[in-house]
Amino acid sequence: MNDCLFCKMVVGEIQPDVVYEDEQVLAFRDIHPKAPTHILVIPKQHVATLNDLQDTKLAGHLLQTVTQIAAAEGIAEAGYRTVINCNNAGGQEVYHLHLHLLGGRTMTWPAG
Ligand code: AMP
């Protein structure tokens, strides 16, 4: 999509701090980190929200990418949090599906 921030990253128009990339997904550091490790994992194809995610293979690959990055970042054993904000009440600001990977500190619950 032309005016989608994360699509612009996929095509290289905007260059985020990439930590992982393959044919289907891109992962990069959040520009306003909420934890010592805060990485966003996105599908390269434009999927606006979690409600629009139809491809179960892609869904699995997104989750697997999170676990692989958590291991690579050294936070898998201590633990981390994965968040998907969906739509307005869910706190979604960028309407291109993304999984937040947050770690490097102890999380509190419930989330705000
Ligand atoms: P959400 O509220 O779930 O839609 O999260 C959107 C996330 O995108 C926020 O954590 C922002 O800090 C992050 N973000 C916005 N612009 C950029 C950017 N240019 N590079 C990296 N992360 C970004």
Side-chain angles (χ1 to χ4, degrees):
M1 275 182 74
N2 285 348
D3 59 351
C4 170
L5 176 67
F6 290 173
C7 283
K8 287 180 183 169
M9 294 179 180
V10 171
V11 298
E13 216 174 292
I14 294 173
Q15 274 139 17
D17 184 359
V18 172
V19 298
Y20 177 80
E21 181 172 14
D22 64 27
E23 280 183 9
Q24 291 178 287
V25 305
L26 179 69
F28 52 89
R29 295 192 189 280
D30 196 292
I31 203 165
H32 299 303
K34 314 300 185 294
T37 301
H38 188 175
I39 290 164
L40 302 177
V41 180
I42 67 168
K44 285 192 168 177
Q45 71 184 74
H46 185 82
V47 177
T49 78
L50 184 58
N51 290 339
D52 304 300
L53 182 60
Q54 306 283 337
D55 184 341
T56 54
K57 224 174 157 184
L58 177 59
H61 187 53
L62 286 162
L63 282 174
Q64 195 172 50
T65 301
V66 167
T67 65
Q68 284 170 351
I69 294 172
E73 292 284 319
I75 57 173
E77 202 169 318
Y80 56 89
R81 180 168 293 169
T82 303
V83 173
I84 302 174
N85 296 324
C86 183
N87 279 336
N88 188 48
Q92 185 171 6
E93 289 177 358
V94 178
Y95 280 77
H96 181 130
L97 177 65
H98 48 283
L99 287 69
H100 294 258
L101 167 59
L102 298 144
R105 66 169 169 84
T106 301
M107 303 292 152
T108 58
W109 190 258

